[in-house]
Amino acid sequence: MGVALKRAGYEFTIFDGADGFGGTWRHNTYPGAACDVPSHLYSFSFALNPRWSKTYATQPEILAYLEGVARHHGLDEHLRAGTRVGSAAWSDERQSWTVTTASGSVETFDVIVTAVGMLDIPNIPHIPGIERFRGRVFHSSRWDHSRSVTGERVGSIGTGASAIQYVPAIARDVLSLTVFQRTPIWVSPRFDEPFTDEQMRTFTDQPEQMQALRDYIWQQYEDASFDAGDEQTRKATELARSYLHRKVHDPDLRAKLTPAYPVGCKRPLLSRDWFPTLTAPHVRLVTVGVSEYTEAGLLTADGEEHELDTVIYGTGFTAADYLSSLSITGTAGRTLHDEWSDGAEAYLGTTVSGYPNLFTLYGPNTNGVNSILYIHEAQVRYVMSALDLLAESGARSIDVKAQVQADYNQRLQDAMHGTVWLANCNNYYRHPSGKVVTQLPYSGGEFARRTQRVDPADYDLT
Ligand code: NAP
């Protein structure tokens, strides 16, 4: 967004609570953190990188890439680091937004764009007795690097995308590792190969080769099916089942690790280390629920006490609570928190009726089908098209028509029927109301086509 605004010559400020660029790739520094979308696709189309070290780059390399792109495009001078935004309020009278930071400073803007994502607020489980626990506790996205886990008795709660990366990464160092699993997940092997110097030279000298690789990966994502009844879903589930059978021979452990839902209902995971780690002698998978903390560790519902020095929450994020860290007030005093109490919705994930000149990158129903950076770039083009329309028309504000938004969401929720996301599992894609608020039921290419430019007929211009 910053690059596009800079190119178009806008005045803008980027607020970030952290001390630099990178967002999730700045916060998630847990051991083993990496992206499981191949890096040649998990990068910006305008900043392809011939020097990705391997198929799936690790967090330090991705953070350095993001900081490098920001620096190259002169975004540092626009960054207000260490500055959390608390609220934003629209003034009907002035036709502008007032932004108040957490420290109380107030500024006015014509347009605001949120880019806080949906994986920003850690989901912290409420386990009674935490005050009496003598060990330490932290969330995977706020890793405590002040003390190593080497030689410790570690407990880890959760078995999602984060845990399956850090659990194997710390296993070799710890004295013992207890993995508390509530629901098993499907895991397929991840083929992660380093790029040779020769390949990097080819990508540098012949960028069309790098583009071809990117296009090939993109197409694989486009061809993926999210239909629960599809042959592709059945095959993917059977492949994951046979991988589990090959890697885990103990029938009890295998049964505990076997999900009862199709691949895709929860985010599909890739790892060649997860199953071998769980079969190591000092690693134990516990499937009985955690009931409370004791002074020495965690008590499970069967009355067993697990003595631990460190407890790590791999418990994910409050993903379905869009923009919950911001208080946003639109026209006539309406608030997003109230309006989204039954689950967030927007038009094309990007604009919300009653909130003129507000754009939501990684907004409702934009997740899950292709590299998220591809989706973000499509959204950015759409925002720039809205700004062009404002400039051309001489209007001060642009607000999506309520009926346009309602029709879009009706069709979108209709398209959810029969998808894997509504199959028999619990996942973070759904709001407690049952509505799928995070996932996009169309392909990335379809989303990019729909967001190519703003249709003035969809909007009220004032
Ligand atoms: P997650 O996928 O939401 O997994 C959270 C885990 O914690 C689940 O196993 C969940 O169990 C468990 N859990 C939650 N609350 C619990 C409680 N109160 N008691 C016991 N268990 C509890 O979170 P995540 O692993 O942090 O991943 C979140 C998302 O971040 C991913 O889906 C992905 O989009 C992104 N991510 C991406 C990468 C990457 O490689 N690109 C890596 C890491 C994360 P249930 O299944 O029973 O709810």
Side-chain angles (χ1 to χ4, degrees):
M1 189 75 241
V3 171
L5 290 170
K6 185 99 180 176
R7 279 181 176 158
Y10 283 95
E11 272 178 40
F12 63 98
T13 303
I14 301 172
F15 293 93
D16 203 307
D19 58 357
F21 286 106
T24 197
W25 296 105
R26 196 168 199 90
H27 290 299
N28 286 271
T29 58
Y30 58 77
C35 186
D36 57 13
V37 174
S39 300
H40 278 282
L41 183 60
Y42 196 87
S43 36
F44 296 112
S45 63
F46 57 87
L48 299 188
N49 175 16
R51 303 205 61 80
W52 286 119
S53 64
K54 55 197 192 83
T55 318
Y56 300 99
T58 58
Q59 175 266 335
E61 193 176 356
I62 297 170
L63 178 59
Y65 166 80
L66 293 173
E67 289 178 328
V69 171
R71 201 175 313 117
H72 179 77
H73 289 273
L75 299 187
D76 291 304
E77 63 190 72
H78 295 270
L79 178 66
R80 197 83 62 77
T83 310
R84 289 195 72 81
V85 170
S87 64
W90 172 255
S91 163
D92 290 320
E93 200 185 322
R94 290 192 306 274
Q95 297 277 293
S96 63
W97 286 95
T98 300
V99 168
T100 307
T101 66
S103 63
S105 74
V106 177
E107 281 173 69
T108 302
F109 296 95
D110 297 318
V111 170
I112 57 173
V113 180
T114 64
V116 298
M118 59 172 203
L119 302 170
D120 55 335
I121 314 256
N123 169 41
I124 306 294
H126 298 290
I127 303 172
I130 183 148
E131 65 291 343
R132 55 178 172 253
F133 180 48
R134 286 196 306 259
R136 66 171 165 166
V137 179
F138 57 85
H139 186 269
S140 60
S141 69
R142 304 290 184 272
W143 196 271
D144 177 11
H145 291 283
S146 68
R147 191 175 98 200
S148 162
V149 291
T150 301
E152 289 195 345
R153 298 162 303 172
V154 175
S156 173
I157 303 182
T159 52
S162 302
I164 78 153
Q165 293 185 338
Y166 71 74
V167 164
I170 62 171
R172 66 184 83 92
D173 298 327
V174 300
L175 181 66
S176 68
L177 187 50
T178 309
V179 177
F180 297 94
Q181 171 188 277
R182 188 163 69 179
T183 315
I185 35 144
W186 288 118
V187 180
S188 304
R190 184 168 88 153
F191 298 101
D192 191 11
E193 297 298 328
F195 288 107
T196 62
D197 287 346
E198 197 186 332
Q199 281 174 305
M200 291 185 201
R201 264 197 307 278
T202 305
F203 292 151
T204 307
D205 298 342
Q206 301 166 46
E208 65 279 8
Q209 300 265 3
M210 177 167 54
Q211 183 66 47
L213 172 61
R214 179 184 171 91
D215 293 346
Y216 171 76
I217 305 164
W218 180 86
Q219 192 59 52
Q220 286 183 318
Y221 279 89
E222 288 295 283
D223 292 343
S225 168
F226 300 98
D227 180 345
D230 196 274
E231 180 64 5
Q232 203 187 97
T233 303
R234 195 191 62 75
K235 275 192 181 153
T237 307
E238 286 322 303
L239 269 174
R241 193 188 308 281
S242 76
Y243 181 60
L244 168 64
H245 278 234
R246 280 204 310 283
K247 292 292 161 189
V248 178
H249 301 123
D250 170 4
D252 287 342
L253 182 59
R254 193 190 272 174
K256 285 179 180 172
L257 289 170
T258 305
Y261 54 83
V263 161
C265 188
K266 285 175 176 292
R267 191 175 188 276
L269 301 182
L270 302 175
S271 173
R272 283 199 286 180
D273 304 326
W274 177 244
F275 294 137
T277 299
L278 294 179
T279 55
H282 69 304
V283 179
R284 188 173 161 206
L285 183 74
V286 171
T287 54
V288 181
V290 166
S291 49
E292 62 181 288
Y293 276 101
T294 62
E295 280 190 5
L298 281 168
L299 199 67
T300 40
D302 54 2
E304 183 177 353
E305 186 181 28
H306 305 264
E307 292 193 6
L308 302 165
D309 303 306
T310 292
V311 174
I312 305 168
Y313 293 153
T315 45
F317 304 86
T318 56
D321 271 342
Y322 273 93
L323 303 184
S324 63
S325 64
L326 294 169
S327 161
I328 298 186
T329 309
T331 53
R334 68 212 295 166
T335 69
L336 262 189
H337 285 177
D338 287 347
E339 220 137 350
W340 285 355
S341 59
D342 283 335
E345 63 175 54
Y347 180 51
L348 296 167
T350 316
T351 52
V352 188
S353 184
Y355 300 82
N357 298 6
L358 167 73
F359 300 95
T360 55
L361 299 185
Y362 209 168
N365 300 105
T366 56
N367 184 59
V369 294
N370 208 310
S371 167
I372 197 61
L373 296 195
Y374 177 78
I375 301 291
H376 290 169
E377 282 194 48
Q379 289 192 282
V380 167
R381 275 194 300 275
Y382 191 72
V383 176
M384 296 311 292
S385 158
L387 297 186
D388 287 347
L389 185 60
L390 273 176
E392 284 158 17
S393 65
R396 296 282 309 278
S397 69
I398 180 166
D399 190 9
V400 64
K401 291 175 180 164
Q403 196 58 47
V404 169
Q405 181 179 318
D407 291 347
Y408 174 76
N409 280 279
Q410 184 62 54
R411 286 194 299 275
L412 187 135
Q413 290 301 328
D414 288 348
M416 293 291 176
H417 294 301
T419 62
V420 280
W421 309 312
L422 286 169
N424 52 330
C425 82
N426 61 325
N427 55 37
Y428 66 76
Y429 306 150
R430 271 173 285 178
H431 186 267
S433 66
K435 181 165 127 183
V436 179
V437 292
T438 63
Q439 303 306 89
L440 176 66
Y442 312 118
S443 71
E446 174 68 20
F447 183 77
R449 272 189 295 281
R450 289 182 185 212
T451 50
Q452 205 154 27
R453 73 179 58 84
V454 165
D455 181 348
D458 292 342
Y459 286 87
D460 290 322
L461 289 157
T462 306

